[in-house]
Amino acid sequence: MQNNVPKNIVILISGGGSNMAAIVRAAQQENWHQRYGACVAAVVSNKADAAGLAFARQQGIATEVLDHKAFGTREAFDAALADAIDHYQPALVVLAGFMRILTPGFVARYAGRLVNIHPSLLPAFTGLNTHQRAIDAGCKVAGVTVHQVTAELDVGPILDQAVVPVLPGDTADTLAARVLTQEHIIYPRAVRALLPLL
């Protein structure tokens, strides 16, 4: 039984937005609006030239751009970002290739409803250069993790994971491409699993 309060999803991107697009397509194909009272209400980027903005506009989704370089501090940018997000009364804020480390205040504001995707099998390889680090460590498998965001980087509760093999001769790029195909599967799945709980 759905209540009448829409479960708005706001997605933050910095670039191509392929994970955002995967979530939008899943929402459309699986009819999240009817099933869960949920929809992707807005896509927000810190870069005006983020290619994902064009996709969002083509889908009729509201878009906003806040250039982080226009703000003197991370706190000032995050405060403006939160104001933009709150305009859409989000039930869930989804980080999809949003290349900013968020301040503790921002994370606290959306505690329990802020999710991110990380291209490793957390808790392994937090931070950057995950694919090369997995190869250098001799890992036989790598993967991707969807997790709730906490003040500490890449250590929030794990919501979903997918494993991919590390193949002989893999480069960071070939491994990243294999992981990305799984990202597009598990991120919509993890978001969908949260919707009945919101």
Side-chain angles (χ1 to χ4, degrees):
M1 187 74 183
Q2 296 296 335
N3 58 31
N4 292 323
V5 178
K7 296 176 181 178
N8 289 339
I9 302 166
V10 176
I11 304 178
L12 309 187
I13 66 170
S14 292
S18 67
N19 275 311
M20 173 271 296
I23 292 168
V24 168
R25 290 191 184 103
Q28 294 167 342
Q29 293 164 2
E30 299 167 7
N31 203 351
W32 290 3
H33 182 71
Q34 189 168 6
R35 290 174 67 189
Y36 307 110
C39 69
V40 178
V43 173
V44 181
S45 179
N46 63 317
K47 296 188 176 182
D49 61 353
L53 292 170
F55 173 86
R57 292 180 187 123
Q58 289 164 5
Q59 305 303 311
I61 298 168
T63 61
E64 297 209 21
V65 175
L66 280 89
D67 183 354
H68 60 273
K69 295 175 187 162
F71 296 86
T73 64
R74 280 174 48 198
E75 288 76 12
F77 171 73
D78 279 9
L81 179 63
D83 286 343
I85 292 168
D86 287 350
H87 176 75
Y88 299 97
Q89 299 179 308
L92 198 62
V93 179
V94 176
L95 306 177
F98 188 65
M99 303 309 288
R100 300 282 302 164
I101 293 177
L102 299 164
T103 57
F106 182 95
V107 172
R109 184 177 188 136
Y110 300 105
R113 54 195 178 113
L114 182 63
V115 296
N116 191 23
I117 192 163
H118 183 76
S120 79
L121 291 173
L122 292 176
F125 306 119
T126 60
L128 300 175
N129 304 314
T130 57
H131 306 300
Q132 189 61 54
R133 288 160 62 202
I135 292 168
D136 292 347
C139 294
K140 299 299 184 191
V141 295
V144 57
T145 304
V146 179
H147 64 96
Q148 287 191 337
V149 178
T150 59
E152 192 176 347
L153 188 66
D154 296 334
V155 298
I158 291 170
L159 301 173
D160 205 339
Q161 289 184 308
V163 176
V164 301
V166 178
L167 301 178
D170 256 340
T171 65
D173 287 342
T174 59
L175 181 55
R178 196 174 311 116
V179 170
L180 188 63
T181 63
Q182 293 301 310
E183 292 181 31
H184 295 163
I185 295 169
I186 76 161
Y187 214 176
R189 185 171 75 197
V191 171
R192 181 178 61 240
L194 288 172
L195 297 177
L197 309 175
L198 299 174

